Amino acid sequence: MAETFDLIVIGSGPGGYVCAIRAAQLGMKVACVEKRATLGGTCLNIGCIPSKALLQSSEVFHQTAHGLKDHGIAVGEVNFDLARMQARKGEVVSANTKGIEFLFKKNKITWIKGAARFIGPNAIEVGGSAYSAKSIVIATGSESVPLKGVEVDEKRIVTSTGALELDKVPGRLVVIGGGVIGLELGSVWARLGAKVTVVEFLERITPFLDGEICKAFQQSLTKQGFTFKLGHKVTGATTGKDGVTLTIEPAKGGAAETLEADIVLLAIGRRAYTEGLNLAAAGVATDARGLVLTDAHYATNVPGIYAIGDVIAGPMLAHKAEEEGVALAELLAGQAGHVNYDAIPGVVYTWPEVASVGRTEEELKAAGVAYKVGKFPFMANGRARAMGEMEGFAKVLSDKTTDRLLGAHIIGPDAGTLIAELVTAIEFGASAEDVARVCHAHPTLSEVVKEAALAADGRALHI
Ligand SMILES: Cc1cc2nc3c(=O)[nH]c(=O)nc-3n(C[C@H](O)[C@H](O)[C@H](O)COP(=O)(O)OP(=O)(O)OC[C@H]3O[C@@H](n4cnc5c(N)ncnc54)[C@H](O)[C@@H]3O)c2cc1C
């Protein structure tokens, strides 16, 4: 007899584990299947958390080596121990994954260890045992997109997973793809001494960012030593004893050239991961790109089977997956779970950080929406000056007639934290004036947000 549950979640990433916890809080008998040896999915094991651990360590090193003189602090020769940095990253990951294990125990969630495959619409098999549930959630996440002619070996040609594990700083790192993951990991290795070249098919990096922010971002990375080969595609890679030779061509056609690299990071995007799930046994429909198709309530075409997170449409972000996990658990409990996709922030954890929410200027123009722009630079902010972090600006976009906030974009120190205020404002349907009239502590970086909101009405005070 198959063991039965109210809910089985397949995958323990931020979508799956959060869905499991919320469902257990709401009184359901819950199991979560995970085939990795530790809980937490891509995010905790090979994504958000280890990348932020290395970004933090490399930033501390870089700041110590190059940023202290202005503060009147003298240090001797500054070195780093990469093995220790990597060990620290491992400790950070382990503390986080064990934290999820603790939360599972606390909420009486059964962790079924192994890979799940469907054996029917409401039943799965894991390691030879069958399990059934009233509801099954697919939260199996995503994997790195491969590129024809560029064979990943996770040693010389790596995905983000290999790039997080390097035991030596590459002299020359070529990143294929100018998206968030490539630029963050490029930053880690650039700060530690790698010469980083980014090859990007499009004529710009981070195409989802507001154009003006994107331009400032590329300028900043260029100042930090990045080289960009925009409008180029990689057509082949040959791995030799000492490195990799890449062949690249202009995307629009033209003469091929070669690029030499010690390490190549393939980061051209991620795609839904459903390998081995045997979706066909349950009859679950996917689209041409392999994304599991759902309705607005995360229901697939098969009654009782749902999907959330990277495996369905929408931005591949941990917090988006988490919100979907909570919403779905609440819907299954008969509540009104809901995710506002207009208020999902995106952050690039480089330095300066880049953060955004809502619409870009380009999107508003394309949609024919009349809008106002308010901008304010960190250069004119007292706290940013005291910190010696004056690069960047905040930009708010509001409806020309109603002043309702439509989008907000920040490049600058701690942009990822600063954006939260504007996410809240958009969630509450606030106007730029609402933000402008809120009292912000002085001196803080958050005054840049207030001043940008004031600027939308042409009345910034400190510029
Ligand atoms: C390098 C990197 C950095 C990132 N940084 C950020 C960031 O800073 N912020 C952010 O928001 N997002 C970031 N992301 C994206 C984020 O990791 C994902 O959006 C998020 O993990 C998606 O969560 P999920 O629950 O949908 O799936 P995942 O986290 O991918 O988890 C899916 C889990 O399902 C398991 N699984 C798959 N198939 C089966 C099966 N058949 N049986 C059992 N288990 C199975 C997998 O082992 C995996 O553990 C980053 C990603 C990468 C790669």
Side-chain angles (χ1 to χ4, degrees):
M1 264 291 281
E3 191 176 352
T4 60
F5 294 88
D6 294 320
L7 175 68
I8 293 177
V9 183
I10 307 174
S12 73
Y17 84 71
V18 168
C19 183
I21 291 173
R22 185 71 187 116
Q25 284 177 344
L26 291 166
M28 288 177 234
K29 183 186 174 197
V30 183
C32 181
V33 193
E34 175 54 60
K35 64 177 182 171
R36 192 178 256 118
T38 47
L39 298 173
T42 303
C43 171
L44 270 62
N45 290 281
I46 52 166
C48 322
I49 298 302
S51 61
K52 267 79 247 177
L54 287 185
L55 278 158
Q56 187 67 29
S57 296
S58 58
E59 176 59 26
V60 170
F61 164 71
H62 196 262
Q63 183 67 8
T64 310
H66 307 286
L68 297 185
K69 211 166 142 203
D70 270 2
H71 291 271
I73 301 168
V75 285
E77 197 187 335
V78 183
N79 289 309
F80 60 86
D81 174 353
L82 184 55
R84 177 64 206 127
M85 229 179 240
Q86 290 287 23
R88 175 186 178 274
K89 178 204 73 186
E91 288 155 18
V92 172
V93 166
S94 168
N96 277 276
T97 59
K98 288 210 178 86
I100 308 299
E101 238 178 287
F102 163 78
L103 292 174
F104 271 19
K105 283 195 189 114
K106 181 181 160 200
N107 288 285
K108 302 190 172 47
I109 296 163
T110 305
W111 173 8
I112 303 173
K113 296 183 183 180
R117 57 188 284 276
F118 280 99
I119 48 173
N122 63 355
I124 57 163
E125 187 247 321
V126 184
S129 304
Y131 303 88
S132 66
K134 274 188 234 140
S135 309
I136 298 180
V137 177
I138 302 169
T140 48
S142 61
E143 63 177 353
S144 180
V145 172
L147 179 63
K148 206 167 150 247
V150 182
E151 275 311 309
V152 170
D153 58 15
E154 295 295 7
K155 287 192 166 60
R156 288 262 180 214
I157 302 181
V158 297
T159 64
S160 53
T161 305
L164 288 165
E165 293 295 327
L166 300 181
D167 55 8
K168 211 173 111 198
V169 178
R172 299 155 303 173
L173 172 69
V174 174
V175 180
I176 309 177
V180 178
I181 292 176
L183 298 177
E184 286 187 2
L185 291 173
S187 287
V188 165
W189 296 109
R191 289 167 188 167
L192 299 179
K195 177 91 197 74
V196 177
T197 304
V198 177
V199 184
E200 166 59 52
F201 184 84
L202 300 174
E203 291 295 340
R204 55 173 287 186
I205 56 168
T206 49
F208 45 87
L209 288 180
D210 184 272
E212 202 177 356
I213 294 275
C214 174
K215 216 164 129 197
F217 186 31
Q218 192 183 331
Q219 277 166 0
S220 177
L221 291 173
T222 305
K223 261 198 292 172
Q224 293 170 38
F226 275 61
T227 303
F228 291 96
K229 279 266 186 201
L230 302 182
H232 276 75
K233 61 179 176 191
V234 175
T235 53
T238 317
T239 307
K241 205 163 64 59
D242 299 321
V244 184
T245 305
L246 286 178
T247 324
I248 66 170
E249 280 174 25
K252 291 181 185 141
E257 56 181 301
T258 56
L259 265 184
E260 300 295 329
D262 298 296
I263 298 287
V264 172
L265 164 57
L266 179 63
I268 57 170
R270 295 183 64 80
R271 64 181 184 190
Y273 178 78
T274 54
E275 206 181 294
L277 255 188
N278 198 19
L279 288 181
V284 175
T286 56
D287 74 1
R289 289 179 300 154
L291 290 168
V292 175
L293 292 167
T294 62
D295 66 11
H297 287 167
Y298 313 106
T300 68
N301 59 314
V302 180
I305 302 183
Y306 303 83
I308 53 169
D310 279 11
V311 83
I312 68 168
M316 288 187 172
L317 292 169
H319 42 281
K320 175 260 194 190
E322 288 188 38
E323 294 304 327
E324 290 177 345
V326 169
L328 175 56
E330 292 179 350
L331 286 165
L332 292 174
Q335 299 184 357
H338 174 73
V339 178
N340 177 5
Y341 289 94
D342 288 332
I344 295 189
V347 180
V348 193
Y349 297 85
T350 46
W351 197 266
E353 286 185 351
V354 183
S356 60
V357 60
R359 314 257 225 121
T360 64
E361 232 184 303
E362 291 73 23
E363 284 169 343
L364 292 176
K365 272 193 194 126
V369 178
Y371 60 91
K372 296 185 287 180
V373 184
K375 275 190 289 188
F376 194 82
F378 283 91
M379 184 85 83
N381 173 268
R383 183 66 181 278
R385 233 169 228 289
M387 290 165 70
E389 296 289 354
M390 282 98 73
E391 192 176 359
F393 58 95
K395 171 174 178 176
V396 300
L397 302 166
S398 68
D399 187 281
K400 187 154 196 159
T401 316
T402 65
D403 193 34
R404 187 184 176 125
L405 276 172
L406 301 173
H409 309 273
I410 307 176
I411 178 165
D414 229 356
T417 307
L418 295 175
I419 201 74
E421 173 184 2
L422 292 157
V423 180
T424 309
I426 287 182
E427 188 68 56
F428 280 75
S431 62
E433 184 174 0
D434 287 329
V435 175
R437 288 196 179 275
V438 170
C439 182
H440 288 66
H442 176 76
T444 60
L445 297 174
S446 74
E447 288 170 288
V448 170
V449 171
K450 177 187 170 98
E451 289 276 4
L454 278 167
D457 191 38
R459 55 191 176 95
L461 293 162
H462 290 89
I463 197 159

